[in-house]
Amino acid sequence: MNLTLKVWRQNGPQDKGRIETYPAAGIPEDCSFLEMLDIVNEKIITDGGEPIHFDHDCREGICGTCSLTINGIPHGKERGTTTCQVHMRKFRDGDTIWVEPFRAHAFPVIRDLMVDRGAFDRIIAAGGYIDIRTGSAVDANSIPIAKDTADTAFDAAACIGCGACVAACPNASAMLFVSAKISHLGHLPQGQPERDKRALSMVRQMDREGFGNCTNHYECEAACPKEISVDHIARMNRDYSKAALAEQFA
């Protein structure tokens, strides 16, 4: 396959970015999108240029590190797929592909296609954990949990924190991410003692980071590579409202 890439290049967070054009020649249709970028980078380096900088790690759709906007869509047009799982056979010979970083005020560009998603780490640090004693693994596994509850918790826990929900949202809202992290712990008995504290701390940290609010566009669910439901946002809103009222009248 012979393709044309339109790639966002930016030397640093304070520098002005620009779109540069690169030929991608002789690309095997069975290689992944990131492997295609590797091939292009090899040619750039051979010619004495600066390679395209992008994030990657496991390349198995698990870690959430890959974060590219492909033709205007976070992770590309394929549903339930991360960038590293996109294969070049989904494109046609001669296509022009636009590759940009995830766009959000809370995700500043580090360089080229790399963005700083440290805001997510700070939200988790604010309360996305259980710090009470829950016993050993044997004790935890002895607590019966209804299958529907376990399934819902697992759906939320599937979030890999890639940030596609933020990049897809017109408001750059992080509510799908935050609600998934709140919900997967809130559905389990071990997460109940800190349920109110968790909702207050994480939502308030989300607001401090500068993410927008949810206005029910549902673009987050559409872009999520793990297809996490927006139902978790409704649950988070209920938890936060109850916790805020309880805090006010305590």
Side-chain angles (χ1 to χ4, degrees), residues 77-132:
K77 66 178 182 179
E78 301 299 321
R79 295 293 296 268
T81 303
T82 57
T83 296
C84 62
Q85 294 174 305
V86 175
H87 286 84
M88 300 313 297
R89 56 180 172 269
K90 298 296 183 179
F91 300 91
R92 292 180 295 183
D93 186 39
D95 276 356
T96 295
I97 305 173
W98 294 76
V99 190
E100 300 174 80
F102 281 1
R103 300 289 189 183
H105 173 74
F107 288 168
V109 174
I110 299 173
R111 186 164 188 178
D112 294 346
L113 306 175
M114 300 172 62
V115 299
D116 181 0
R117 286 169 289 183
F120 275 8
D121 296 329
R122 292 187 289 272
I123 292 171
I124 293 296
Y129 50 84
I130 295 173
D131 61 8
I132 63 170

Side-chain angles (χ1 to χ4, degrees), residues 117-220:
R117 286 169 289 183
F120 275 8
D121 296 329
R122 292 187 289 272
I123 292 171
I124 293 296
Y129 50 84
I130 295 173
D131 61 8
I132 63 170
R133 292 182 62 85
T134 59
S136 66
V138 173
D139 297 326
N141 291 334
S142 68
I143 301 174
I145 300 174
K147 186 178 187 305
D148 288 346
T149 301
D151 288 346
T152 304
F154 187 82
D155 173 64
C159 172
I160 57 177
C162 65
C165 52
V166 176
C169 177
N171 306 324
S173 172
M175 292 186 76
L176 187 65
F177 165 77
V178 177
S179 66
K181 297 303 180 182
I182 290 175
S183 189
H184 93 261
L185 294 177
H187 273 88
L188 302 177
Q190 296 91 339
Q192 297 307 311
E194 297 173 299
R195 183 170 174 173
D196 289 355
K197 174 186 174 183
R198 182 179 304 113
L200 291 172
S201 299
M202 295 182 72
V203 170
R204 288 170 180 171
Q205 184 63 40
M206 173 184 70
D207 292 340
R208 283 191 290 269
E209 295 293 344
F211 292 103
N213 203 2
C214 174
T215 50
N216 297 321
H217 285 270
Y218 297 164
E219 292 293 334
C220 54

